[in-house]
Amino acid sequence: MPPWTETADWLKTDSGAFLAAGRMPLGTTPWTDQETRARLVAMARWILLAIIGAYGLFAGGILSVSAYRVFLTQAQLAFLAGAVASVAAYSLVLQQGWFGVRGFRYSDHAQILLDLFFITVLIHFSGGPSSWFWPAYLIATMEAAFLLPRPREVWAVGAIGGAMHGLMLAGHYLRLLPPVAMPFTSADLGANPLYLCLIWSWAAILNAAVAFITARLMGVIRWEHRALKAREAQLQQFVDTANDLIVCLTPEGRFLYANPLWVRTLGYGLEDLETTTFFDLIDLDHRARLLKEFGRAMKEARGTTIEADVLARSGTRISVEGNLAPTLKDGRPGMVWCICRDVTARRQAEEQLFRMAHFDGLTGLPNRASLLEKLNGAQEAARRSGRSLAVLFVDLDRFKLINDTLGHAVGDELLRQAAQRMKTAIRESDTVSRIGGDEFIVTLNDVQDPKEASALAGRLLRPLARPFHIGGQEIFVTASVGISLFPEDGEGGEALVKKADSAMYHAKSRGRNNYQFYHPGMDQDAERRLVLSTGLRHALEAGEFRVLYQPKVEVDTGRMTAIEALVRWEHPDLGLLPPSEFIPLAEETGLILPIGEWVLREACSQGARWQAQGLRPMRIGVNLSGYQLQQAGMAATVRRILEETELDPQWLELEITETVVMQNPALAVAVLDEVKALGIHVSIDDFGTGYSSLAQLKRFSVSTLKIDKSFIRDLEHNPTDAAIATAIIAMGACLNLQVVAEGVETEGQLAFLRERQCHGAQGFLFGHAVPAEAIASVLEQEDRESQIVMVT
């Protein structure tokens, strides 16, 4: 049996359960007013019959042993018993509603008339004029006031009762009804008109008074009932149409009522709530707290607020907040009203605002604000544990180039994939944040030794160097990492990030794709970068750039075979600056394009001037930035410069780093094919650092491979570097490519290269970068020596 049927009676009279008075909770069907009254009258009639029967048995028993004996004849007893049985019969019929009697319009009138008739019969057989049962007419009149809605009908019943009593008395007076002898009274009373008139008048007046009074009282009661029903209907309509979720619960949490909005929102039908408790619908994360609040509200008999997630039938979570209000019965909570509102949309908006304020929209990583907040907390934890904290500033190399050439969609996807790779490379206790652009911060907690930060930096660089597959393209990118430590490098999130940023720029100046720890000297470097960034915009117009030339020699003979043009910046305050100090800034600001074009034009013009002086033609190598390589119309720009300077294309060599080529191999192949078609030589610079494969290398139209100096520097002592250099030389020979080793500084290195049959070399062993006049002198000297050799 559902819990609401067990509590229906007290719910109807409880002032807090106004809904249940107008409608049984959760779909149970209430009686109509007519049915309720008919049942109550039938119940009262049964009680009255029981009382009369009990009294009759009692009186009969007393009289049977008295001197009076039983005064009714057998026929009279039989008739009286039949009358009682008739009353019981029609009471049962009316109570059970058999044969559709309850649907008969005048059923209430009929049962009252029957009651009056059988009351008259009872009075007749209990002594007639001397009967003690004439007040039963008053009961029938009150019954009429209870059943019949209109006062005049009640008054009519009172009049009919008086008339029946009068007719019965008249029947006795006229001897139409057989007299029934009663003990204690005179048999002549029925023949005394004065007595009959007085007894009838008294009974009629009392019956009329009762009819008037009870009709008035029932009228007031009905009016108050209608007013209560109207208020309840209004409240019912309010609750049913309210924008709040409203339920009524037992102290055990079972449902007594749920408004339509609750049912619609959660998707549970009325039948589902019969076997479900309120707590079953609460999300597990909030259930224990809500049970505690509910129990406290029951114990203290006072309201409380709630805030929880409710599970809908579909499985979605509905966030609600509101109040629990217990209703007291006999001083104890009898039921609980829960009135709450759906705040799911607001919570989602709050969560979205929180994520927007604390997380990066592209990668989903914590943003700068969240990073600084966590950094401050991590510093406190490190201070308590006595351990260190490392901040790694990760910047993707040449990311702007990818964005500008392949589009922002590709760049965004690259950032997402890079973020995912970094997340998989770190420990669970560490955090990756994106603070803008291609800049990421990795917070390494609980560091015992700086070597842990070094190891993490290595774990970050390796996966980032692997190719990214985006939109059918294979893209290569590297990263530069700067590391600052707490407390060694200071305190405060902003300070640690700034120092890691300085270290990151130092890593870029060291050739990118490496990591550097912060040291105080880098602060001066940061100020220096600011000065350089400001002055770089005016340097080209002011003619502050210079081109120096470094020879490339043949390993076997030591004879100069080519020249590399190297740009320098003659800063008015800082002196002559190498390209590592300003080329990264030029790439960031976009000034690399006009600077690169100026260097190319200057080198081609110088080559043409040397040939015009009668010097031996010498191929001049010019470094090509990744921004220049991926600039639209780059090959056309090179052709125009060659035409303007009148330099034969065969004496120009464009040097492109392997890293730049591998960032977008497909585009590199197309551009290099165009350049090669002009008759220009192409070399891959810094070979061995860009993760290219033989399959990719054979696609490029290149003539020369330049072994990166990092493999030459220690090849005399490092077997790994020696093996890499040997493999590159052998690979070049197999692919019919010239191989030039960079950074040769010792005779031992030269001997190693000569033994492996490397074609060319370049480095301080053969000469530093010098002005064009010095190169002309070397060429003139070599030409004279060549002529002497030929003569001898």
Side-chain angles (χ1 to χ4, degrees):
M1 179 181 295
W4 47 80
T5 59
E6 299 175 357
T7 57
D9 294 335
W10 66 265
L11 276 173
K12 289 184 179 181
T13 57
D14 193 295
S15 59
F18 56 87
L19 299 179
R23 185 179 66 189
M24 289 294 290
L26 296 178
T28 56
T29 304
W31 296 338
T32 63
D33 289 343
Q34 181 182 1
E35 290 175 336
T36 303
R37 291 194 297 271
R39 285 181 181 273
L40 289 175
V41 168
M43 187 180 301
R45 190 179 292 116
W46 283 111
I47 294 172
L48 183 62
L49 288 173
I51 293 173
I52 292 173
Y55 178 77
L57 292 174
F58 172 75
I62 295 296
L63 290 174
S64 65
V65 296
S66 68
Y68 296 100
R69 302 295 179 181
V70 177
F71 55 86
L72 295 177
T73 64
Q74 291 184 350
Q76 291 174 332
L77 285 173
F79 193 89
L80 184 60
V84 172
S86 299
V87 173
Y90 75 74
S91 294
L92 186 62
V93 169
L94 288 169
Q95 185 175 0
Q96 298 298 327
W98 292 336
F99 314 118
V101 174
R102 213 182 291 161
F104 177 52
R105 179 178 178 182
Y106 297 105
S107 61
D108 292 340
H109 302 76
Q111 65 176 310
I112 294 170
L113 292 175
L114 287 172
D115 285 347
L116 291 174
F117 173 75
F118 285 111
I119 288 172
T120 304
V121 171
L122 179 63
I123 292 173
H124 165 67
F125 283 103
S126 61
S130 59
S131 175
W132 299 348
F133 287 104
W134 65 265
Y137 284 119
L138 306 181
I139 297 175
T141 303
M142 288 187 285
E143 174 186 321
F146 186 73
L147 287 176
L148 304 178
R150 288 182 287 274
R152 62 176 177 270
E153 293 179 337
V154 179
W155 301 335
V157 168
I160 292 173
M164 286 186 175
H165 188 222
L167 289 175
M168 185 271 299
L169 294 177
H172 276 272
Y173 177 76
L174 298 174
R175 303 292 180 177
L176 298 177
L177 296 175
V180 179
M182 281 290 291
F184 321 121
T185 60
S186 171
D188 298 332
L189 290 177
N192 189 333
L194 179 61
Y195 171 78
L196 294 177
C197 181
L198 290 175
I199 194 68
W200 177 79
S201 299
W202 177 242
I205 290 172
L206 285 181
N207 204 31
V210 168
F212 179 79
I213 293 171
T214 54
R216 293 289 296 175
L217 288 177
M218 287 304 301
V220 173
I221 292 173
R222 286 192 176 95
W223 179 86
E224 290 179 346
H225 180 69
R226 286 194 297 270
L228 178 62
K229 294 291 286 184
R231 288 195 299 271
E232 289 176 354
Q234 293 172 354
L235 289 172
Q236 181 74 59
Q237 182 181 12
F238 167 76
V239 172
D240 286 349
T241 60
N243 291 326
D244 289 336
L245 308 173
I246 302 175
V247 292
C248 182
L249 310 169
T250 68
E252 296 76 30
R254 304 194 71 83
F255 285 92
L256 294 172
Y257 170 80
N259 74 335
L261 182 61
W262 173 281
V263 176
R264 289 197 305 269
T265 301
L266 270 70
Y268 292 100
L270 302 180
E271 66 282 356
D272 300 315
L273 297 177
E274 293 183 8
T275 56
T276 303
T277 68
F278 180 66
F279 309 113
D280 293 335
L281 306 183
I282 304 301
D283 182 68
L284 283 175
D285 294 338
H286 302 160
R287 190 174 297 173
R289 176 172 52 81
L290 185 63
L291 279 168
K292 182 178 179 181
E293 291 291 332
F294 193 90
R296 186 169 63 181
M298 293 295 98
K299 181 179 180 181
E300 300 177 2
R302 64 178 181 84
T304 184
T305 60
I306 64 167
E307 187 174 341
D309 285 351
V310 183
L311 297 177
R313 189 182 184 91
S314 62
T316 58
R317 285 176 170 80
I318 308 297
S319 297
V320 299
E321 63 178 26
N323 300 87
L324 287 173
T327 299
L328 301 182
K329 181 176 177 62
D330 299 330
R332 299 180 59 186
M335 62 182 181
V336 182
W337 287 97
C338 176
I339 303 175
C340 51
R341 64 201 60 86
D342 183 354
V343 294
T344 306
R346 193 189 75 192
R347 290 280 174 79
Q348 290 174 347
E350 290 174 352
E351 291 175 1
Q352 185 176 4
L353 289 174
F354 179 83
R355 289 197 62 82
M356 290 173 63
H358 293 82
F359 291 88
D360 173 50
L362 179 64
T363 62
L365 297 176
N367 61 11
R368 188 182 189 90
S370 181
L371 163 71
L372 295 177
E373 181 180 333
K374 292 182 179 180
L375 260 182
N376 292 329
Q379 288 180 70
E380 290 297 326
R383 190 179 291 110
R384 289 192 299 269
S385 65
R387 299 194 177 185
S388 294
L389 169 72
V391 175
L392 283 71
F393 197 114
V394 183
D395 185 89
L396 302 183
D397 298 326
R398 299 187 179 91
F399 175 75
K400 185 176 184 298
L401 177 62
I402 295 174
N403 243 2
D404 294 343
T405 56
L406 300 181
H408 289 279
V410 173
D412 290 347
E413 181 59 27
L414 175 60
L415 290 174
R416 280 190 286 267
Q417 292 189 22
Q420 187 60 38
R421 291 188 185 184
M422 283 189 278
K423 286 175 63 177
T424 57
I426 64 174
R427 306 173 305 183
E428 290 186 5
S429 58
D430 304 331
T431 306
V432 181
S433 307
R434 181 182 177 225
I435 60 174
D438 60 332
E439 297 174 339
F440 299 85
I441 296 291
V442 179
T443 306
L444 182 62
N445 299 303
D446 197 18
V447 177
Q448 300 183 26
D449 188 279
K451 291 182 180 179
E452 292 187 34
S454 301
L456 176 61
R459 292 201 305 271
L460 290 172
L461 291 175
R462 284 190 292 274
L464 290 176
R466 295 198 305 267
F468 292 85
H469 300 276
I470 302 174
Q473 301 183 75
E474 193 175 53
I475 299 174
F476 291 81
V477 70
T478 57
S480 300
V481 181
I483 307 173
S484 63
L485 299 173
F486 169 83
E488 292 89 333
D489 297 328
E491 298 186 359
E494 286 282 7
L496 290 173
V497 171
K498 182 178 179 181
K499 291 176 179 180
D501 187 16
S502 298
M504 182 273 296
Y505 275 105
H506 191 64
K508 282 188 179 293
S509 67
R510 297 291 296 271
R512 299 183 175 92
N513 195 30
N514 68 93
Y515 62 87
Q516 297 293 323
F517 281 89
Y518 168 81
H519 60 77
M522 293 179 180
D523 291 335
Q524 297 178 354
D525 293 340
E527 297 176 2
R528 186 182 181 89
R529 282 198 307 274
L530 180 60
V531 172
L532 295 177
S533 179
T534 303
L536 189 62
R537 299 185 179 277
H538 310 288
L540 191 59
E541 297 176 2
E544 296 174 359
F545 290 110
R546 303 287 181 267
V547 177
L548 302 182
Y549 302 88
Q550 186 177 30
K552 302 176 187 178
V553 302
E554 190 176 41
V555 170
D556 291 336
T557 64
R559 182 180 174 84
M560 186 165 55
T561 57
I563 303 168
E564 182 177 0
L566 301 171
V567 65
R568 299 291 187 268
W569 181 8
E570 192 171 348
H571 194 279
D573 299 321
L574 302 177
L576 195 64
L577 304 177
S580 61
E581 288 207 42
F582 61 87
I583 290 299
L585 289 174
E587 291 179 340
E588 290 179 14
T589 58
L591 293 173
I592 189 63
L593 296 178
I595 293 175
E597 186 173 335
W598 178 86
V599 172
L600 180 60
R601 188 184 304 277
E602 186 66 21
C604 292
S605 298
Q606 185 59 58
R609 284 196 295 271
W610 281 332
Q611 292 184 27
Q613 294 173 14
L615 298 176
R616 173 165 50 97
M618 193 66 56
R619 184 174 294 118
I620 300 177
V622 178
N623 289 286
L624 198 65
S625 165
Y627 290 89
Q628 291 175 278
L629 176 67
Q630 305 197 45
Q631 181 189 19
M634 193 277 293
T637 300
V638 174
R639 183 192 302 111
R640 187 183 72 252
I641 291 175
L642 288 173
E643 292 173 352
E644 292 174 358
T645 59
E646 298 181 352
L647 180 68
D648 193 312
Q650 66 173 317
W651 302 115
L652 175 62
E653 184 175 51
L654 297 180
E655 297 187 7
I656 308 169
T657 63
E658 184 184 15
T659 303
V660 168
V661 170
M662 295 311 300
Q663 279 188 316
N664 190 349
L667 178 61
V669 168
V671 174
L672 294 181
D673 284 344
E674 288 186 61
V675 171
K676 191 73 172 179
L678 296 176
I680 300 170
H681 285 248
V682 177
S683 67
I684 300 296
D685 200 6
D686 300 337
F687 188 77
T689 62
Y691 303 94
S692 62
S693 63
L694 285 174
Q696 293 163 333
L697 188 61
K698 70 180 183 180
R699 298 168 57 197
F700 303 132
S701 301
V702 299
S703 307
T704 306
L705 300 180
K706 296 184 70 176
I707 305 175
D708 187 70
K709 59 186 176 182
S710 62
F711 302 117
I712 303 300
R713 184 183 304 115
D714 297 324
L715 60 76
E716 295 179 82
H717 314 290
N718 189 322
T720 302
D721 288 345
I724 293 174
T726 301
I728 294 175
I729 294 171
M731 182 177 64
C734 293
L735 295 175
N736 197 25
L737 300 175
Q738 294 287 316
V739 179
V740 176
E742 294 183 294
V744 179
E745 299 180 0
T746 67
E747 290 292 343
Q749 294 169 348
L750 179 60
F752 178 92
L753 296 172
R754 185 180 293 119
E755 182 181 350
R756 269 64 174 183
Q757 297 182 352
C758 183
H759 301 99
Q762 182 181 1
F764 293 160
L765 181 63
F766 313 106
H768 291 71
V770 295
E773 295 78 11
I775 294 295
S777 298
V778 173
L779 286 174
E780 290 174 353
Q781 183 179 352
E782 285 187 349
D783 287 346
R784 285 195 300 269
E785 291 175 355
S786 176
Q787 290 175 1
I788 292 172
V789 171
M790 291 178 62
V791 170
T792 57

